[in-house]
C-alpha cells in the first residue's frame, strides 16, 4: 500500500497514463481488425473492468496461481489466491499429474471440462501440447458418452440454448451473449449426434468440443466462439422419461414449424453477428441438406457432416491413390462402395463426384455417378424390378418401395442391378477398390465382404468412418486380418496400429478436425462472405498432398491430429486464396503482404499476458 501522498499521486497519474495508452492501442487494434485479426495487442496486455473474485472466477481472465504481485494488487485479488506465484509450466505439471489419475475417459472429460470452466488459457495450452491424446477426450470418441450422460454430469452452463419456448424472442436473446465479436458458431439440434441418434439438448457437448478444436487447432480466439443448441424437443423416449433431462420435454418440431424456428434463429444471429461463420452440426437427414440448400448461398455457413466429412474422406481417397503409385487425377478409375445413404454418406459421395467432374476425365456427372455403388440399411439402392442378383433378367425399371428416396439418393440408384443386394453380393459383382462406411451400423463390413474385396484388388482401401468407435463398420484389426495385412485403412474414430505377421500396419483417422479448423481460420482471416464447394475441394487436395512418399509407402495417408495447427495453416491459406479468387473476401490484403505470414500471426496462442484494470464507466 502507498502511504506517501506524493507517491499516491504519482501512482494514480501513472495508472491514468497506462489506461489511456491501452485504450488508444485498443482503438488502433480494432481498426486493424476490420482487415485482419491483429493479435499483437493480445500478446502485450489484456484489459478488464472486473475486480476481485470476478477476475478469479472468469475463465477468460483467470491465471490461477500465475498472477504477478502487481496484478494481484491492481486487480484487488491480493490474499485471494495462494501467495506463491507459479507460472504455467508448474501449473501444467500439476494438471497433467491429476489428469493421469483419472481412471476412465469420461472422468478425464469431466476433468478437462472443469479446467476449461476455470482457466481457458491453461486449458488450451494443455490441449495444444497434447493434442493427439486429448482430442480423443474432448471430442471423439469420448464425447459420445459425454453427450449421452450430459444431463447427469452437467456442472456449469457454456454456450446458448434456443428452445421452443423462445419463439419470437430470439432477436433479443442473442444480445445476452457477452461478447460483441463472434467469428465462429457451431450449432446443433441434437437430432443425429455422431452415430448415437437423437440426443436432444444433450448434444451441446458437440458444439463445445468442435469449438475447442477450432481454438486449439485453428487458432480462433476463445472469446470469439459460440456453441449453440436449437432445442426443438426430442423423440428419444429415455430422455423424455428422465426427470434429470435438461431439454424441452416434448417431441420434436417438424415441417414448417421446425424450419420457421431455425429461420428465426438464423436471422437473429445475422442481425448481431453478420460476419460470423455458422457450422451446422449433427442435423438429421433430410434437415441437414434442406438447411444447407436454403442458406449456403445467403450467409456464411456450411454443414460439417456433409462437407467437412466429404473433404477429409476425399483427401483419404486421393492419398490412397498416391499410396498405390497412382496420380490423384485418376480418381475416375476407382470403383467405390459407400455403405450409408444419409447426409454423411451422400455428402461424401457428392464431394468425390465433384472432384471427378473437376478433373475432367468423365464425360458427365452421370458418368461419375456410375463409379459409386450406394447401400442403405436395406442393401444396394438398385432396380426393384430386376429378378436376379446378376442384373441379367430383362425387366422394366421401377422404384417399387424405393419411391421414398430423395433426388440426391436417386442419383446413385443402379438400374442394372437388383435392389437390396447385400454388401458381399455387391463386392463380388463389381470388385471395388474403395469401401466407405458411413452407416453408424457396427460390424456391417463383414468378413465375407472384406475378404471378397481383397480377392479382387492388391491393396483394398477400407474406410469405416462411423463414430464413435463402437459404431465403426469394422475394426482395424479385422480389416488387416481379413486382407492379409494389405489394406489401406482409415477410420472415423481412432484405432491403434496393428501388428500383423511381424509388420506394423498403419491406421489413419479420417477426422473432420483436419478440415474445419483450417477452413474457419481461412474464412475468418479473409472475411469471406460465403463458404463454397471449391474451398472444400482445395482443402481435400491440400491434405492429400501433405504426406511424404515414405509415409505413403508405410500406409500413412496424411498427418495426425498432433500436427493439426500446421495442417490448419496450409488449409487456411488455400481457403483464403479461393475466397480472393471468387471475389468473396472482404478483408483487404496489405500491399506486399505474405498470406501465410498473416495467417500464422492471426492464430491465437495461449499464453498469459499482463492484465490491466480499466475504470468501469
Amino acid at each position: 500500500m502507498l502511504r506517501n501522498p506524493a507517491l499516491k499521486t504519482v501512482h494514480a497519474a501513472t495508472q491514468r497514463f497506462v489506461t489511456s495508452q491501452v485504450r488508444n492501442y485498443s482503438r488502433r487494434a480494432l481498426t486493424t481488425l476490420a482487415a485482419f485479426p491483429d493479435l499483437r495487442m493480445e500478446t502485450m496486455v489484456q484489459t478488464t473492468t472486473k475486480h476481485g473474485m470476478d477476475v478469479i472466477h472468469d475463465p477468460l481472465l483467470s491465471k490461477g496461481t500465475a498472477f504477478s504481485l502487481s496484478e494481484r494488487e491492481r486487480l484487488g485479488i491480493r490474499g485471494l489466491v495462494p501467495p506463491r506465484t507459479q507460472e504455467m509450466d508448474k501449473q501444467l505439471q500439476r494438471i497433467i499429474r491429476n489428469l493421469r489419475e483419472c481412471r476412465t475417459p469420461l472422468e478425464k472429460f469431466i476433468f478437462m471440462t472443469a479446467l476449461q470452466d476455470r482457466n481457458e488459457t491453461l486449458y488450451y495450452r494443455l490441449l495444444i501440447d497434447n493434442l493427439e491424446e486429448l482430442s480423443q477426450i474432448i471430442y471423439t470418441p469420448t464425447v459420445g458418452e459425454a453427450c449421452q450422460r450430459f444431463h447427469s454430469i452437467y456442472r456449469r452452463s457454456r454456450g446458448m440454448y434456443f428452445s421452443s419456448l423462445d419463439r419470437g424472442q430470439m432477436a433479443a436473446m442473442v444480445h445476452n451473449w457477452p461478447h460483441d465479436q463472434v467469428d465462429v458458431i457451431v450449432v446443433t439440434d441434437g437430432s443425429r449426434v455422431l452415430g448415437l441418434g437423437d440426443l436432444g439438448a444433450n448434444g451441446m457437448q458437440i458444439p463445445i468440443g468442435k469449438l475447442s478444436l477450432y481454438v486449439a487447432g485453428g487458432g480462433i480466439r476463445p472469446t470469439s466462439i459460440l456453441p449453440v443448441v436449437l432445442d426443438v424437443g426430442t423423440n428419444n423416449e429415455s430422455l423424455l422419461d428422465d426427470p434429470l433431462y435438461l431439454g424441452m420435454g416434448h417431441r420434436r418440431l417438424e415441417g414448417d414449424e421446425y424450419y420457421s424456428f431455425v429461420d428465426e434463429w438464423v436471422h437473429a444471429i445475422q442481425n448481431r453477428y453478420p460476419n460470423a461463420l455458422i457450422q451446422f452440426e449433427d442435423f438429421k437427414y433430410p434437415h441437414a441438406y434442406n438447411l444447407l440448400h436454403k442458406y449456403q448461398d445467403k450467409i456464411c455457413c456450411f454443414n460439417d457432416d456433409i462437407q467437412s466429412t466429404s473433404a477429409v474422406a476425399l483427401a483419404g481417397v486421393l492419398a490412397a491413390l498416391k499410396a498405390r503409385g497412382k496420380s490423384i487425377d485418376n480418381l475416375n478409375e476407382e470403383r467405390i462402395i459407400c455403405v450409408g445413404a444419409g447426409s454423411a454418406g451422400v455428402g461424401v459421395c457428392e464431394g468425390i463426384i465433384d472432384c471427378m467432374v473437376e478433373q475432367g476425365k468423365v464425360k458427365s456427372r452421370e458418368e461419375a455417378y456410375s463409379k459409386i455403388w450406394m447401400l442403405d440399411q436395406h442393401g444396394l439402392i438398385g432396380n426393384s424390378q430386376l429378378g436376379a442378383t446378376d442384373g441379367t433378367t430383362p425387366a422394366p425399371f421401377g422404384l417399387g418401395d424405393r419411391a421414398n428416396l430423395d433426388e440426391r439418393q436417386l442419383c446413385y440408384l443402379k438400374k442394372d442391378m437388383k435392389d437390396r443386394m447385400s454388401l458381399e453380393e455387391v463386392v463380388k459383382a463389381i470388385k471395388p477398390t474403395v469401401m466407405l462406411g458411413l452407416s453408424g451400423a457396427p460390424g456391417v463390413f463383414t468378413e465375407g465382404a472384406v475378404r471378397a474385396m481383397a480377392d479382387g484388388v492388391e491393396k483394398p482401401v477400407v474406410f469405416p468412418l462411423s463414430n464413435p468407435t463402437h459404431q465403426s463398420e469394422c475394426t482395424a484389426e479385422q480389416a488387416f486380418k481379413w486382407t492379409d495385412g494389405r489394406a489401406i485403412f482409415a477410420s472415423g474414430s481412432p484405432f491403434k496400429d496393428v501388428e500383423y505377421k511381424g509388420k506394423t500396419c498403419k491406421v489413419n483417422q479420417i477426422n473432420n478436425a483436419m478440415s474445419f479448423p483450417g477452413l474457419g481460420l481461412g474464412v475468418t482471416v479473409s472475411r469471406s462472405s460465403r463458404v463454397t464447394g471449391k474451398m472444400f475441394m482445395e482443402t481435400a487436395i491440400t491434405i492429400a498432398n501433405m504426406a511424404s512418399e515414405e509415409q505413403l509407402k508405410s500406409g500413412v495417408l496424411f498427418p495426425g491430429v498432433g500436427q493439426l495447427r500446421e495442417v490448419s495453416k496450409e488449409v487456411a491459406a488455400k481457403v483464403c486464396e479461393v475466397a480472393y479468387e471468387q471475389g468473396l473476401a472482404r478483408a483487404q490484403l496489405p500491399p506486399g503482404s505474405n498470406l501465410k505470414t498473416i495467417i500464422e500471426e492471426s492464430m491465437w496462442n495461449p499464453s498469459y499476458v499482463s492484465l490491466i484494470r480499466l475504470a468501469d464507466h
Side-chain angles (χ1 to χ4, degrees):
M1 180 180 292
L2 299 173
R3 299 182 182 277
N4 188 314
L7 288 179
K8 285 185 178 181
T9 301
V10 171
H11 178 74
T14 302
Q15 286 285 73
R16 287 195 297 272
F17 174 78
V18 170
T19 297
S20 67
Q21 292 299 302
V22 167
R23 282 186 174 141
N24 289 336
Y25 199 110
S26 298
R27 293 190 190 101
R28 294 196 300 273
L30 288 172
T31 300
T32 307
L33 276 173
F36 289 96
D38 187 337
L39 303 186
R40 291 174 296 173
M41 178 61 186
E42 292 188 8
T43 61
M44 294 174 57
V45 66
Q46 186 175 0
T47 62
T48 180
T49 59
K50 292 188 176 182
H51 184 259
M53 294 301 294
D54 288 341
V55 174
I56 294 173
H57 290 161
D58 188 333
L60 294 168
L61 296 176
S62 181
K63 299 182 181 183
T65 60
F67 290 105
S68 67
L69 289 178
S70 59
E71 285 175 322
R72 298 177 189 211
E73 186 69 40
R74 63 177 175 259
L75 295 172
I77 59 173
R78 193 163 190 164
L80 300 182
V81 292
R84 184 176 179 180
T85 298
Q86 287 190 330
E87 294 296 339
M88 189 179 285
D89 58 338
K90 296 293 192 299
Q91 293 177 323
L92 287 170
Q93 289 180 28
R94 181 182 297 110
I95 291 295
I96 291 171
R97 179 189 299 171
N98 291 329
L99 182 63
R100 296 285 180 260
E101 292 180 359
C102 295
R103 294 168 296 175
T104 67
L106 185 63
E107 286 184 4
K108 291 181 179 180
F109 179 93
I110 294 171
F111 180 89
M112 291 292 292
T113 298
L115 175 60
Q116 186 180 19
D117 285 342
R118 67 177 183 269
N119 186 334
E120 293 212 25
T121 304
L122 186 60
Y123 168 83
Y124 283 113
R125 183 75 272 159
L126 177 70
L127 183 55
I128 290 171
D129 291 349
N130 302 273
L131 200 50
E132 193 84 44
E133 173 190 357
L134 294 183
S135 65
Q136 300 178 34
I137 299 300
I138 63 147
Y139 204 63
T140 56
T142 309
V143 75
E145 184 181 2
C147 285
Q148 291 174 311
R149 300 184 60 182
F150 174 74
H151 57 294
S152 298
I153 64 174
Y154 178 84
R155 300 290 191 276
R156 178 175 175 174
S157 186
R158 179 174 289 272
M160 289 196 75
Y161 299 81
F162 295 81
S163 77
S164 53
L165 292 174
D166 302 319
R167 283 175 287 187
Q169 302 298 319
M170 296 183 200
M173 281 177 61
V174 75
H175 289 275
N176 290 338
W177 190 245
H179 303 293
D180 290 328
Q181 181 178 332
V182 168
D183 291 327
V184 182
I185 298 168
V186 177
V187 57
T188 185
D189 68 354
S191 57
R192 192 206 63 84
V193 176
L194 302 174
L196 303 173
D198 182 354
L199 295 182
N202 283 14
M204 175 56 93
Q205 301 286 23
I206 298 296
I208 292 172
K210 290 278 186 181
L211 286 165
S212 287
L213 293 174
Y214 266 110
V215 176
I220 304 297
R221 286 168 291 174
T223 54
S224 62
I225 59 174
L226 173 56
V228 173
V229 160
L230 303 181
D231 187 357
V232 295
T234 180
N235 295 335
N236 186 320
E237 295 291 347
S238 64
L239 292 179
L240 290 172
D241 293 339
D242 193 327
L244 295 182
Y245 177 58
L246 293 166
M248 297 302 296
H250 60 71
R251 294 195 169 275
R252 286 188 168 273
L253 304 181
E254 295 291 351
D256 291 343
E257 195 174 17
Y258 172 83
Y259 289 109
S260 66
F261 178 95
V262 178
D263 200 52
E264 182 184 349
W265 177 80
V266 169
H267 281 88
I269 289 295
Q270 286 291 290
N271 284 336
R272 187 175 184 199
Y273 302 118
N275 298 322
L277 168 65
I278 297 175
Q279 174 178 318
F280 291 104
E281 182 72 35
D282 285 351
F283 285 74
K284 71 178 181 179
Y285 194 88
H287 292 336
Y289 264 102
N290 293 341
L291 293 173
L292 180 61
H293 179 72
K294 180 174 183 178
Y295 296 113
Q296 64 181 346
D297 295 327
K298 297 177 181 178
I299 64 174
C300 186
C301 71
F302 72 98
N303 183 290
D304 183 56
D305 306 289
I306 296 171
Q307 294 167 289
S308 288
T309 302
S310 175
V312 184
L314 174 59
V317 173
L318 295 177
L321 277 167
K322 295 176 67 177
R324 288 172 286 159
K326 299 180 180 182
S327 167
I328 63 173
D329 293 328
N330 293 333
L331 182 59
N332 65 302
E333 297 177 3
E334 298 289 71
R335 299 182 302 280
I336 302 170
I337 287 178
C338 177
V339 182
S343 57
V346 174
V348 165
C349 292
E350 287 296 309
I352 294 171
I353 298 294
D354 289 342
C355 191
M356 286 186 189
V357 173
E358 180 73 14
Q359 290 177 351
K361 292 191 176 182
V362 291
K363 296 178 181 178
S364 65
R365 195 170 184 87
E366 288 67 32
E367 182 183 347
Y369 282 120
S370 73
K371 309 291 183 180
I372 299 177
W373 289 258
M374 184 173 286
L375 288 77
D376 63 7
Q377 69 270 31
H378 305 297
L380 179 71
I381 299 177
N383 186 347
S384 63
Q385 300 302 309
L386 288 178
T389 56
D390 60 7
T392 60
T393 302
F397 168 67
L399 286 175
D401 59 3
R402 290 296 198 175
N404 63 335
L405 297 175
D406 68 23
E407 60 184 11
R408 291 172 290 265
Q409 295 166 320
L410 284 173
C411 292
Y412 298 92
L413 189 145
K414 294 292 181 277
K415 295 182 180 180
D416 61 343
M417 297 180 71
K418 184 181 177 183
D419 190 35
R420 304 194 181 203
M421 291 172 63
S422 70
L423 175 60
E424 188 171 347
E425 289 174 323
V426 177
V427 169
K428 290 178 179 178
I430 72 163
K431 293 181 170 43
T433 56
V434 178
M435 190 152 64
L436 307 174
L438 295 121
S439 65
V444 74
F445 284 5
T446 63
E447 180 175 357
V450 177
R451 286 191 181 278
M453 183 184 184
D455 288 341
V457 291
E458 176 60 27
K459 290 187 176 181
V461 179
V462 182
F463 286 2
L465 303 181
S466 291
N467 288 312
T469 307
H470 68 269
Q471 300 291 126
S472 184
E473 285 78 9
C474 73
T475 67
E477 185 175 2
Q478 289 170 333
F480 288 116
K481 178 181 178 181
W482 297 339
T483 61
D484 197 29
R486 292 182 283 119
I488 296 175
F489 181 89
S491 55
S493 285
F495 286 96
K496 294 181 179 179
D497 290 343
V498 174
E499 296 296 324
Y500 182 79
K501 293 186 176 179
K503 75 170 185 177
T504 301
C505 299
K506 292 293 184 179
V507 169
N508 299 276
Q509 187 180 359
I510 301 289
N511 191 327
N512 289 9
M514 304 302 286
S515 167
F516 66 78
L519 177 86
L521 177 60
V523 168
T524 299
V525 168
S526 67
R527 293 298 176 196
S528 180
S529 61
R530 300 289 183 271
V531 181
T532 66
K534 178 74 170 174
M535 292 177 182
F536 284 103
M537 190 178 303
E538 290 298 328
T539 294
I541 293 171
T542 299
I543 297 171
N545 285 326
M546 292 194 74
S548 66
E549 287 188 18
E550 291 74 18
Q551 287 175 317
L552 290 170
K553 287 178 181 178
S554 70
V556 175
L557 299 179
F558 32 66
V561 176
Q563 296 171 270
L564 181 54
R565 285 177 79 90
E566 293 304 314
V567 174
S568 293
K569 291 175 190 177
E570 297 297 321
V571 169
K574 278 296 180 183
V575 169
C576 282
E577 288 176 13
V578 174
Y580 283 102
E581 288 170 4
Q582 296 184 326
L584 300 170
R586 292 170 289 186
Q588 298 298 313
L589 278 171
S593 60
N594 181 286
L595 188 54
K596 287 190 176 181
T597 300
I598 290 172
I599 288 168
E600 187 166 1
E601 291 179 350
S602 298
M603 296 178 73
W604 181 76
N605 192 47
S607 60
Y608 292 138
V609 297
S610 294
L611 282 174
I612 293 179
R613 186 183 178 220
L614 299 179
D616 190 3
H617 294 294

